[in-house]
Amino acid sequence: AGSAYERCVDLEPGYKEAWYNLGVVYGRQRKFSREIRAYRRALELDPAYIRAHYNLALAYEDMDRYPEALKHYTRVLELDKASLDAWINQGIVLVRLGEFEAAITSYRSALNMAPDQAELWYNLGVAYARQSDMSKDAAERSALNLDEREAYERALAIEPTHFKAWYNLAIAFRK
């Protein structure tokens, strides 16, 4: 498929879908620099191309280039506030960047759309835990610890076999 898309963009360099699909092919081949170039070319042709922004964010995330990934997840959400996956992935990237409060906001936005996702509640608990670990204020740490435990408990109410939530809940109770 890759060679056919390459031929397509050679013949019609303004065909954004071909550039996008070429990026998908390169991504599956783990050719990240080529993948990024293809998505960026699709975005040059259509700066509001949501799927290209989203996949470009994923590619940057795969390369541990979190600030760039965050930029494109943010752009997806500017264009489509209802993108559940963008809210979730934005939260993941924000945690990796140490921006825990913003990650909590992203996860809360996602939970407003999908309150029945155990993994999302687990991720929220992790964000609370990390924010608590960074806080120097005892009262704030205590409040965050309660939020953390509640998030893990919500995850377990949905998925009682979520072993990571059980493990982290045990750690939260030890704090």
Side-chain angles (χ1 to χ4, degrees), residues 6-26:
E6 287 170 347
R7 181 71 177 132
C8 181
V9 298
D10 284 343
L11 293 170
E12 181 51 60
Y15 191 24
K16 74 176 184 182
E17 288 83 4
W19 283 107
Y20 169 80
N21 285 308
L22 186 56
V24 171
V25 169
Y26 287 146

Side-chain angles (χ1 to χ4, degrees), residues 71-91:
K71 173 185 168 191
H72 289 281
Y73 286 133
T74 300
R75 184 67 180 130
V76 169
L77 292 167
E78 288 169 354
L79 296 166
D80 179 12
K81 293 273 188 224
S83 177
L84 178 62
D85 290 336
W87 283 116
I88 293 169
N89 290 342
Q90 182 183 56

Side-chain angles (χ1 to χ4, degrees), residues 26-44:
Y26 287 146
R28 287 186 181 138
Q29 295 171 347
R30 313 286 294 164
K31 295 178 180 176
F32 297 124
S33 59
R34 288 182 177 185
E35 177 187 18
I36 287 170
R37 277 196 307 269
Y39 292 139
R40 290 176 72 176
R41 181 67 182 122
L43 288 169
E44 287 171 12

Side-chain angles (χ1 to χ4, degrees), residues 3 5-6 11 13 33 65 67 69 82 102 108 112 130-131 139-140 145 154 158 163 172:
S3 59
Y5 286 128
E6 287 170 347
L11 293 170
S33 59
R65 292 170 59 178
R108 287 276 179 205
N112 286 335
R130 299 266 174 85
Q131 187 177 18
E140 180 185 31
N145 182 257
R154 295 285 299 267
I158 296 163
F163 70 92

